[in-house]
Amino acid sequence: MRHHSKLAPYVVHLIALVLGLIVYARAGAAQGVSEWSGSGQVVVPQLGGFPLDGGANLFVTATDWRVRIDGPLAVVTLEVGIENRSMRAAEAEMLLPVPRGAAVRSFDFLGEGAEPSARLIHGEEARRSYNAIVARAIDPALLEFQGAASIRTSVFPVPPRGAQRVKITYEQILEGDGARFDFALPRSEAWRKLGPPLSLDLEVRGLGALSAVWSSSHELEVQEHSEHVYTARLAKGAAEQPGSFRLSLLRGSGEPGATLFAHGDPRGEGGTFLLLGALPASQKPPRARELALVLDRSGSMAGEKFEQARTAAIGVLESLRPEDRFQLVAFSGDVSSFTRGAALADTNSIQAAVEWLRALKPGGGTNISDALAAVLAPAPEDGVLPLVLLMTDGQPTVGLTTEAELNASVERLNTHGRRVHLLGVGHDVNAPLLDRIARDSRGSTQYAHPMEDVGLALGRLAARLAEPRLTHIEYELIDGEGKPDPSLAQQLAPARLEDLFEGEQLTLLGRYNRGVERIGIRLSGQLDGERAAFRWIFDLTTASPENAFVSRLWAQRRIASLVDEVRHGGAVAGSTVAKELVEEIRSLSQTWGVLSEYTAFLALEGTDLANADANRSALAAGLVQRAQRTRTGAGGVVQSVNQNRWRRGQRFDRLNRFLDEQLREVGPREVQHVGERAFFLRGGKWVDARLFEGGPDAVAQMSMLAAVNFGSEAYVKFSEWLAERGLGGVLALPGDVFVEVEGRAVWLPRPQRQLAKATPASVPQAEPAAEVAPSTPAGPPMPAPASGA
């Protein structure tokens, strides 16, 4: 009842929206639009300009979204920048795909013109409008949105060699799923058709305390203000991300909350799930910490590196609270300590520790093992949170020096459960060693690259030095009755959940088995220092193709765990990697288009994706050379940075970006993701990854296919079939496209106007296409083999 009472102020608004939709529906039905009889230019903010009469194109230069969510009502304002680069004045209309259930609030533009107006079109009217625009523009990209409603505006002017600014506002009621509310901004999945980067200004209020403001599509930087008001902006690199912006809001209840997203396997083999969990705001003061600060003062640290590391260490000491305790250790070939045991972080102790640090001089070898032994062996004070922060720039040269010896020593000595966090300074460190120590102790690693300020890198690690809210996390699968049942799902990622800090979300992914309709999670651990347990049960029958991001994120996490096995030696015998592991990485990467530095070669034009044996061999060689043998230098460090991103990532990067050895963000551009499919660019044509699974013979058959020609009845039916399955983005891919349907290929040639615009050197000319075979009631139209095949 409390949930409904909070929504009561919005009931009147909801009724108004529904009545508005009825009016729009009747107007559209009465008008019976069968063609687009408007201006010669149509602007679709998500895709760009569509010249209908052969005139100059208009270019979308900016899309600035302002979203205000108040309770379950979202008010969305979009400002679109449009350029006319021709010498002729242009008149245009805007067609804005929006979620179903949206209602127009206002529309305006700069300059003089007819009275601005806009109305919602949907259903049959929207479909006819889309088809009419596509037919006149000879560009099927708009059909990506044919399942959505749209807002159609009145005509507005765009001056020659000038610009126009169009502003439109609509509103919608958020979709709800228990304590979760979902919101989306429709955008194109085809990054080669995508317009300017996404600009987003988001504010949320009226839902009470939220335990999660989370996007499955774009990384956000979220701030909480007074009176349960939340603002968010896109994190660095998120603006270039293609695909719809998706937001989920999880309401707090005073206890940890959770929600679940499910994606059914397109071939009927169960599916994947993503559990998203979040904590309520803490009502307890943080525990006192006992921080062991360990600083490398070996000879290789001499100079600017040591000065920066010392300054960063002083900053850490000065950030301690009076109730905290600390140890201070410096090491080179030997180990020295500021005090015997831990000291209270009072003013006098901190000042003395700072003076001790300032007196240190670098020189000697690197004795990491004895330095860690000095802080891991002693028992911490009762009731404190024991932490270790070690900063080093090199590989161990004194004491225990092999990875196996060091890992075993840390595991043996760390009987008090200290979280060990490590900061690698420069690229001479043994990155897999540091990663392994951190992972086994539930700690974390960061790396300061050459010429990067050590303090900045330490800042990225600082949040992990606070008190985790939920620790010692364990989980088990339960059935709908709450009974343990590990057979419900497999390949859970991660296998062990890390500590959860204030403001973080817990994510657990896995594959549920065929026939499973309900799945539960029982989770236990220490919440704010006290033992606690929770359980949630979810319905898997709500699995949706729109949640394909779940399968891709699961694949990413799964690949990261398999690569970890190689890096840490568990999957390597001599100079070879276990065949089963290599095949799983290859298959997941190719099926889902999830490419890393190890599998980016799959996107290259010269790679024959149908030749699984050759690709397995290439992948195995790369894993041995890079993941296993490259332990230090830029190659070793960037692998750790990339692996940490993949292992902890809460969303899939559609651009497949990773850091290369020159510290550049790179990624293959020959793969695109549409719904639950991945398409690879081969010979100027986009080919469904599923078509390569049949081997060379299946690929050879593609050259003998007839086509589903643009503008034909079969093309219209096939586009509708794609839209029903969340694959409408296929029609926005620029060029010929081959789609797998029931084990066969459907060929969609590039429309002729696109061919006329294309560069002959980069785009092969399409052959005249034969007719397609008649469609069958069971599925879409299927091409028949060309004559003589």
Side-chain angles (χ1 to χ4, degrees):
M1 291 299 294
R2 289 195 300 270
H3 181 79
H4 289 162
S5 65
K6 291 182 179 179
L7 302 186
Y10 306 97
V11 172
V12 173
H13 211 115
L14 174 59
I15 294 172
L17 279 178
V18 173
L19 290 175
L21 290 176
I22 294 172
V23 171
Y24 283 128
R26 288 177 175 172
Q31 186 172 347
V33 176
S34 60
E35 62 180 20
W36 187 272
S37 56
S39 69
Q41 302 280 342
V42 177
V43 174
V44 181
Q46 292 93 332
L47 295 169
F50 288 76
L52 305 187
D53 299 325
N57 207 345
L58 298 178
F59 295 85
V60 175
T61 57
T63 52
D64 300 328
W65 299 85
R66 182 177 182 269
V67 179
R68 295 294 179 264
I69 297 175
D70 192 349
L73 177 69
V75 178
V76 181
T77 300
L78 171 64
E79 291 195 30
V80 184
I82 302 168
E83 277 189 6
N84 179 1
R85 299 173 186 174
S86 74
M87 299 301 294
R88 294 183 297 167
E91 288 190 335
E93 297 174 71
M94 189 167 75
L95 192 66
L96 175 64
V98 295
R100 294 176 182 176
V104 185
R105 176 180 282 193
S106 65
F107 166 65
D108 202 0
F109 55 84
L110 298 177
E112 297 181 355
E115 182 68 21
S117 64
R119 68 185 187 88
L120 187 75
I121 61 174
H122 54 88
E124 183 65 16
E125 180 182 3
R127 188 187 67 80
R128 290 177 177 176
S129 296
Y130 286 6
N131 286 333
I133 294 171
V134 165
R136 289 176 62 184
I138 317 181
D139 187 340
L142 181 57
L143 294 178
E144 178 176 4
F145 300 104
Q146 65 180 309
S150 286
I151 296 173
R152 178 180 179 178
T153 74
S154 57
V155 175
F156 54 86
V158 188
R161 307 294 290 180
Q164 175 62 273
R165 193 82 177 175
V166 175
K167 182 177 180 180
I168 191 164
T169 300
Y170 66 90
E171 53 194 30
Q172 68 181 94
I173 296 293
L174 303 185
E175 295 183 2
D177 182 359
R180 189 183 87 218
F181 290 93
D182 294 328
F183 169 80
L185 294 175
R187 299 176 71 242
S188 178
E189 291 188 280
W191 59 262
R192 285 173 177 258
K193 292 286 291 184
L194 206 61
L198 176 65
S199 173
L200 179 67
D201 174 12
L202 174 66
E203 180 181 285
V204 181
R205 63 173 71 227
L207 289 172
L210 297 176
S211 56
V213 178
W214 181 76
S215 171
S216 62
S217 58
H218 295 71
E219 184 178 358
L220 296 176
E221 295 176 352
V222 180
Q223 286 189 322
E224 181 178 359
H225 307 274
S226 59
E227 300 300 323
H228 304 310
V229 175
Y230 305 83
T231 58
R233 63 180 183 179
L234 296 173
K236 181 181 179 182
E240 292 77 28
Q241 197 72 221
S244 296
F245 170 75
R246 297 182 54 163
L247 177 71
S248 294
L249 307 171
L250 189 61
R251 299 180 67 178
S253 62
E255 294 186 352
T259 189
L260 185 129
F261 302 86
H263 175 241
D265 189 301
R267 302 185 182 185
E269 298 297 325
T272 53
F273 70 86
L274 163 63
L275 172 77
L276 178 71
L279 302 176
S282 177
Q283 303 299 319
K284 295 184 177 181
R287 272 193 299 170
R289 295 170 294 177
E290 184 176 299
L291 174 64
L293 184 57
V294 185
L295 179 63
D296 184 348
R297 64 177 185 90
S298 61
S300 59
M301 285 283 287
E304 186 68 17
K305 273 197 298 189
F306 187 71
E307 294 305 320
Q308 288 186 6
R310 174 159 48 194
T311 299
I314 291 172
V316 170
L317 289 174
E318 293 178 340
S319 71
L320 295 175
R321 302 183 300 268
E323 64 270 22
D324 292 334
R325 306 179 72 87
F326 73 97
Q327 298 181 69
L328 184 57
V329 170
F331 69 94
S332 54
D334 55 8
V335 178
S336 57
S337 299
F338 167 63
T339 60
R340 178 171 295 180
L344 271 173
D346 56 44
T347 302
N348 292 334
S349 295
I350 295 298
Q351 287 179 346
V354 169
E355 293 303 317
W356 187 83
L357 278 173
R358 286 175 173 158
L360 292 176
K361 297 186 182 299
T366 305
N367 190 345
I368 293 177
S369 60
D370 286 354
L372 284 172
V375 296
L376 291 177
E381 295 286 330
D382 290 339
V384 302
L385 175 68
L387 303 169
V388 176
L389 171 59
L390 183 145
M391 291 185 276
T392 182
D393 79 325
Q395 305 168 57
T397 59
V398 179
L400 303 179
T401 58
T402 69
E403 289 183 40
E405 290 174 325
L406 267 165
N407 288 325
S409 174
V410 170
E411 183 177 1
R412 175 175 53 82
L413 292 170
N414 195 17
T415 57
H416 305 294
R418 295 181 187 269
R419 269 66 173 165
V420 182
H421 304 282
L422 301 107
L423 178 62
V425 181
H427 286 170
D428 292 331
V429 295
N430 183 328
L433 170 64
L434 302 189
D435 290 343
R436 178 67 178 272
I437 292 173
R439 188 187 71 177
D440 289 351
S441 67
R442 297 181 185 266
S444 58
T445 52
Q446 278 291 341
Y447 296 91
H449 301 296
M451 308 306 293
E452 180 183 12
D453 189 286
V454 175
L456 294 177
L458 185 59
R460 297 193 294 267
L461 191 61
R464 314 302 290 184
L465 300 179
E467 179 183 5
R469 295 283 314 285
L470 187 60
T471 63
H472 303 88
I473 306 173
E474 297 180 355
Y475 64 87
E476 65 176 346
L477 300 177
I478 57 177
D479 62 19
E481 304 301 321
K483 299 176 182 179
D485 188 352
S487 69
L488 295 172
Q490 56 187 309
Q491 297 178 334
L492 301 176
R496 185 177 73 173
L497 289 167
E498 297 182 347
D499 294 343
L500 197 61
F501 289 76
E502 185 71 35
E504 292 184 339
Q505 283 82 47
L506 177 150
T507 52
L508 175 66
L509 297 106
R511 286 194 59 81
Y512 61 87
N513 296 320
R514 178 188 293 190
V516 177
E517 296 185 349
R518 301 183 76 197
I519 193 169
I521 308 289
R522 180 181 288 118
L523 186 143
S524 61
Q526 295 282 338
L527 177 59
D528 295 331
E530 297 183 2
R531 191 69 183 168
F534 315 93
R535 78 170 196 174
W536 304 279
I537 297 176
F538 301 100
D539 182 6
L540 293 172
T541 61
T542 59
S544 169
E546 293 182 355
N547 292 337
F549 72 89
V550 174
S551 291
R552 287 200 171 90
L553 183 57
W554 168 80
Q556 173 182 298
R557 292 272 191 97
R558 177 66 180 165
I559 291 169
S561 69
L562 295 172
V563 172
D564 273 346
E565 290 187 39
V566 179
R567 294 198 84 204
H568 301 302
V572 178
S575 60
T576 62
V577 182
K579 293 180 180 179
E580 297 81 4
L581 183 147
V582 173
E583 171 55 19
E584 188 172 356
I585 294 177
R586 183 205 66 82
S587 177
L588 288 173
S589 300
Q590 184 167 311
T591 298
W592 295 105
V594 178
L595 304 183
S596 67
E597 59 190 298
Y598 310 106
T599 54
F601 74 92
L602 293 173
L604 297 179
E605 185 73 40
T607 300
D608 180 2
L609 294 177
N611 192 338
D613 288 340
N615 295 332
R616 277 191 290 268
S617 296
L619 174 57
L623 286 171
V624 168
Q625 183 60 38
R626 288 184 53 74
Q628 176 62 19
R629 294 179 179 171
T630 305
R631 318 299 281 176
T632 64
V637 170
V638 298
Q639 284 184 81
S640 287
V641 172
N642 294 329
Q643 276 290 99
N644 285 335
R645 286 183 186 177
W646 275 45
R647 191 185 305 111
R648 293 197 174 101
Q650 292 196 347
R651 61 199 50 80
F652 170 66
D653 181 4
R654 288 172 173 266
L655 299 177
N656 280 313
R657 291 171 292 194
F658 57 86
L659 206 63
D660 71 2
E661 294 187 17
Q662 286 71 48
L663 307 183
R664 300 171 301 189
E665 287 275 4
V666 298
R669 290 294 184 262
E670 297 81 14
V671 61
Q672 296 210 66
H673 310 90
V674 178
E676 54 197 17
R677 306 284 184 101
F679 290 81
F680 288 83
L681 189 63
R682 291 295 183 267
K685 300 174 176 63
W686 292 100
V687 183
D688 192 333
R690 296 184 183 184
L691 291 171
F692 295 104
E693 297 175 6
D697 292 341
V699 175
Q701 291 295 320
M702 288 192 292
S703 64
M704 298 184 287
L705 284 178
V708 177
N709 285 316
F710 174 78
S712 67
E713 182 180 353
Y715 192 97
V716 173
K717 289 182 178 180
F718 189 59
S719 70
E720 293 171 354
W721 183 87
L722 291 170
E724 290 170 0
R725 288 155 178 78
L727 298 174
V730 165
L731 304 170
L733 297 178
D736 289 24
V737 183
F738 289 86
V739 186
E740 185 272 343
V741 179
E742 298 176 0
R744 297 176 60 187
V746 173
W747 175 25
L748 304 176
R750 175 181 297 197
Q752 292 303 307
R753 179 175 289 183
Q754 290 189 23
L755 281 173
K757 293 180 181 178
T759 304
S762 62
V763 181
Q765 297 295 308
E767 295 293 333
E771 294 297 321
V772 298
S775 60
T776 64
M782 300 295 295
S787 58

